[in-house]
Amino acid sequence: MVIFTCSVQHSAVNSGQYDYGAWMPNTPISLQLPPPTTKGTTSEATMLETFPDVNVTVQGMAIMHLLSKQSTDFVPLGHYPDEHFFEKIPCKLIKEFQGDLEIQSVIIKVRNENLDVPYTYMNPTVVENSVAI
C-alpha cells in the first residue's frame, strides 16, 4: 500500500495538475468574491471581478508547473539505481515486477492509440518510483 501511494497514486493525482489547472478558471489560486451559489446566475463581469489578478494567477501557475513537472532525478517505477538486494529471490522478484510493468506499459500505449486525448499519467514509464519534490 505504501509503494502504491508513494508512486502510482501520487502520479495519478499530481502529474495532470498543470494540464488541468493551466486554464485558470479550473483552479483559481484565490477568489476576490464568494463563488456563485446558484447555477446560471454569473455574468462575464462577475467572473472577472471574482478571479484573481494576472500576477497572482501567474504565480499560482508557476508553482503548479514546478510541482507537476518530472523531477531532474527521475527514477521510473520498478527501477532501483542503488542495488540493495543481491540475493537470488529478491532479484528474481524485482525482474518479475519490472516485466509486469513493461506489459502494463504496452497495454496503456495500445489503449491510448485509440483515444483523442491519451491518458499517460499511469504509464509505468512515467510513474516516479517514489514522491520526489
Side-chain angles (χ1 to χ4, degrees):
M1 189 62 157
V2 171
I3 292 170
F4 172 78
T5 302
C6 293
S7 60
V8 179
Q9 187 175 38
H10 182 263
S11 182
V13 172
N14 185 65
S15 299
Q17 281 187 86
Y18 187 76
D19 294 344
Y20 178 77
W23 193 63
M24 185 275 302
N26 281 343
T27 57
I29 195 163
S30 68
L31 295 176
Q32 309 311 307
L33 297 173
T37 56
T38 307
K39 190 172 181 148
T41 60
T42 302
S43 67
E44 183 178 342
T46 305
M47 289 176 66
L48 292 174
E49 291 171 7
T50 302
F51 290 141
D53 67 36
V54 172
N55 293 328
V56 172
T57 299
V58 169
Q59 290 172 0
M61 289 178 68
I63 291 168
M64 190 180 311
H65 174 71
L66 287 172
L67 291 175
S68 64
K69 75 178 203 166
Q70 195 175 73
S71 65
T72 55
D73 59 348
F74 173 79
V75 177
L77 182 62
H79 294 267
Y80 311 97
D82 301 328
E83 293 188 27
H84 297 288
F85 301 104
F86 300 100
E87 298 88 359
K88 188 177 182 178
I89 292 174
C91 289
K92 177 182 175 263
L93 292 172
I94 289 170
K95 288 290 181 199
E96 287 176 8
F97 180 53
Q98 290 171 339
D100 291 344
L101 292 173
E102 286 178 30
I103 291 168
Q104 290 304 313
S105 183
V106 169
I107 291 169
I108 289 169
K109 286 177 185 173
V110 168
R111 182 202 61 211
N112 281 338
E113 288 175 1
N114 299 319
L115 299 176
D116 292 334
V117 179
Y119 185 81
T120 59
Y121 309 125
M122 299 295 283
N123 188 330
T125 61
V126 298
V127 172
E128 184 87 29
N129 205 20
S130 183
V131 176
I133 295 179

